[in-house]
Amino acid sequence: MDKIIVKGGPALHGEVKVSGAKNAALPILASSLLGDGTSTYRNVPDLVDCATMLKVLNTMGCEAERLTGRQKSVCQVMVGPHITPEAPYELVKTMRASVLVLGPLVARYGRARVSMPGGCAIGARPIDQHLKGLKALGAEITLTEGYVEARAKKLKGGTVNFDLITVTGTENVMMAAVLAKGRTVLENCAREPEVEELARVLNKMGARIEGAGTSVITIDGVDSLRPVEHTILPDRIEAGTLLVAAAISGGDVLVKPAVPEHLEPVVLKLREAGCVITPQEGGLRCKAPKILQPVNVTTTEHPGFPTDMQAQLMVLMCVANGTSVISENIFENRFMHVAELHRMGADITIQGPTAVVKGVKKLSGAPVMATDLRASASLILAGLRAEGRTDVARVYHLDRGYERLERKLRGLGADIRRVKA
Ligand code: EPU
């Protein structure tokens, strides 16, 4: 199992390239099931999670592959006439987002059998809202032997008011509704840029979706969809993580490409912390201040501060000049990085969903363990600033969502390498 070794100290400088967005690529790959033929997606990040989604599609009988060489960021999915609409436990247990095939399968094939995702390190993460939405469109849902089975001869448009805001829930039901008969109105939807991106792709395939990116999405069902070619938007969370890398190392880095509007909540907090952030050449440049100021943050759904940036911002606040209060409102157990940060000398107290972070003069390198994707990124960020050497173990979490983060950081001057443990 690989580990990453970081020696803290160097201020990062230069320009770094952001990969395509994981959380847009996953639903978009799943959406290929909605139309016969070959879809081509560019700028698909080379991540374990994307490979898992390709496996899920192949298991069903699609021909899904990543091209090689210079075309490595291109994925093609061929959907033929023989599809087994089933996602097995062995794959779903390794990636919850596999559940995104549920909506397309029931809409297109009238039947889906998908292993029920369990909880994960950051929370229980039920899928009741996905199921509520599919039921409202007329699907009959049963749970047997750990699998969700959804059946419907033909889905029918309906109104769904989500009880809470869910990103993949909105995406799953939106993908089901595009082939339903009549009009569907989804209320209290997630407004994340990745939901909007999925709608953009579905509309290119021939769907009729309006309002994606707002809390009400209206979908007029169509009879069939065609395959598509699409370039995936840049990953706002990877971009945010790299901006924090610049800030925590005392550096000056241009992170591109990046869509400034997608990163607004993150940029506002980094500016409050004293960073100078300017849009430049289709990206964002972050210049670190001499002294970082504390900031208070509450994670909420987009356009609020993203939970996927909470761990990274917390690390930055560990070395700020004062006390910050960070509240996690989306997942009930997303502070697991705190215990590891304590080992590096951080001063953090957890009170329920809130962490009180007192800035310390220095962090010191230590062996630490990644517990989930964003937590692992935060430990690497801590290592960039810490005195001495930090060994981050269990980096398979990192590889699910960051394309060779250590290479990108090394390109900016970090002393970081990956070794086989
Ligand atoms: N929830 C329910 N019932 C549901 C669905 C969600 O109670 O049916 C709860 C969840 O337990 C959670 C909250 O609602 O407390 C929000 O969850 P959401 O459904 O929005 O999360 P998700 O769709 O499973 C996506 C991202 C996550 C990101 C969250 C929140 C993908 C593939 N995953 O997950 O990304 O943290 O939205 O923004 O899009 C990551 O990339 O590291 C990651 C975890």
Side-chain angles (χ1 to χ4, degrees):
M1 231 183 281
D2 293 1
K3 68 176 176 176
I4 287 182
I5 299 175
V6 199
K7 288 187 189 144
L12 304 188
H13 286 280
E15 191 177 308
V16 61
K17 185 174 178 298
V18 176
S19 302
K22 165 180 85 84
N23 289 348
L26 295 175
I28 288 171
L29 287 170
S31 75
S32 56
L33 286 164
L34 288 162
D36 271 354
T38 304
S39 290
T40 302
Y41 308 108
R42 302 180 201 286
N43 203 31
V44 182
D46 189 7
L47 303 171
V48 174
D49 273 8
C50 292
T52 305
M53 186 56 92
L54 294 177
K55 253 189 227 162
V56 170
L57 294 169
N58 280 320
T59 311
M60 288 174 190
C62 304
E63 282 174 33
E65 60 167 4
R66 178 176 290 282
L67 305 191
T68 51
R70 290 176 127 209
Q71 292 205 298
K72 206 163 108 346
S73 69
V74 179
C75 288
Q76 280 185 329
V77 183
M78 204 279 283
V79 181
H82 303 295
I83 295 295
T84 312
E86 193 164 316
Y89 174 65
E90 290 65 38
L91 289 174
V92 181
K93 75 173 183 200
T94 65
M95 184 184 71
R96 304 176 45 80
S98 312
V99 78
L100 282 163
V101 297
L102 190 58
L105 286 178
V106 68
R108 180 78 200 288
Y109 301 98
R111 188 174 85 81
R113 187 167 182 269
V114 174
S115 175
M116 184 86 167
C120 78
I122 61 178
R125 306 183 74 180
I127 57 162
D128 55 302
Q129 297 303 306
H130 303 227
L131 303 184
K132 168 182 159 160
L134 295 178
K135 272 187 204 157
L137 301 187
E140 198 183 299
I141 308 278
T142 47
L143 295 177
T144 37
E145 298 166 347
Y147 279 73
V148 181
E149 282 199 36
R151 280 173 191 273
K153 270 216 175 78
K154 173 88 179 161
L155 293 175
K156 290 191 193 65
T159 298
V160 181
N161 188 304
F162 291 107
D163 299 332
L164 49 81
I165 298 178
T166 156
V167 176
T168 50
T170 302
E171 292 166 345
N172 229 341
V173 183
M174 184 164 78
M175 287 191 279
V178 291
L179 289 179
K181 189 171 165 44
R183 173 169 287 195
T184 297
V185 180
L186 306 181
E187 297 167 347
N188 198 27
C189 294
R191 291 178 283 166
E192 268 67 1
E194 293 77 16
V195 174
E196 226 181 316
E197 176 83 343
L198 172 64
R200 208 171 287 130
V201 171
L202 293 170
N203 282 342
K204 273 193 188 174
M205 295 172 81
R208 292 172 57 200
I209 303 173
E210 276 181 19
T214 74
S215 54
V216 179
I217 302 179
T218 306
I219 302 144
D220 285 309
V222 295
D223 289 337
S224 63
L225 295 180
R226 51 183 177 269
V228 72
E229 265 196 55
H230 186 76
T231 302
I232 309 262
L233 85 176
D235 194 308
R236 65 194 164 100
I237 305 300
E238 188 200 7
T241 304
L242 292 165
L243 292 172
V244 173
I248 200 163
S249 71
D252 181 356
V253 174
L254 175 59
V255 174
K256 73 178 213 184
V259 183
E261 304 89 77
H262 295 171
L263 278 144
E264 207 168 277
V266 174
V267 166
L268 286 176
K269 287 298 163 189
L270 291 178
R271 284 195 179 130
E272 244 181 85
C275 300
V276 177
I277 308 230
T278 35
Q280 192 177 310
E281 298 170 35
L284 288 166
R285 177 173 172 186
C286 175
K287 197 163 181 286
K290 282 224 160 57
I291 296 174
L292 285 157
Q293 299 305 323
V295 298
N296 298 334
V297 177
T298 299
T299 63
T300 52
E301 298 86 1
H302 191 77
F305 190 89
T307 173
D308 292 343
M309 280 297 300
Q310 178 256 109
Q312 300 88 315
L313 195 88
M314 185 184 294
V315 169
L316 190 66
M317 291 304 100
C318 284
V319 290
N321 184 28
T323 300
S324 310
V325 178
I326 298 182
S327 298
E328 171 57 54
N329 268 349
I330 305 294
F331 291 112
E332 64 272 25
N333 194 23
R334 215 176 196 184
F335 281 149
M336 282 161 317
H337 41 285
V338 169
E340 299 300 298
L341 291 172
H342 280 157
R343 307 193 60 251
M344 299 179 72
D347 183 347
I348 306 168
T349 316
I350 297 184
Q351 298 162 353
T354 297
V356 178
V357 185
K358 287 192 187 145
V360 293
K361 286 243 154 40
K362 69 174 178 90
L363 293 173
S364 53
V368 287
M369 229 160 32
T371 44
D372 77 78
L373 167 54
R374 308 301 168 187
S376 46
S378 76
L379 296 174
I380 290 178
L381 294 172
L384 293 175
R385 174 71 175 234
E387 267 181 27
R389 168 177 158 162
T390 299
D391 290 23
V392 183
R394 296 199 183 161
V395 289
Y396 52 85
H397 290 294
L398 188 79
D399 295 337
R400 293 186 54 180
Y402 289 90
E403 207 175 40
R404 289 280 170 177
L405 183 63
E406 78 282 4
R407 253 191 228 170
K408 296 192 183 188
L409 294 172
R410 198 162 54 237
L412 296 169
D415 185 346
I416 183 168
R417 68 197 155 97
R418 177 184 288 254
V419 294
K420 301 264 171 227

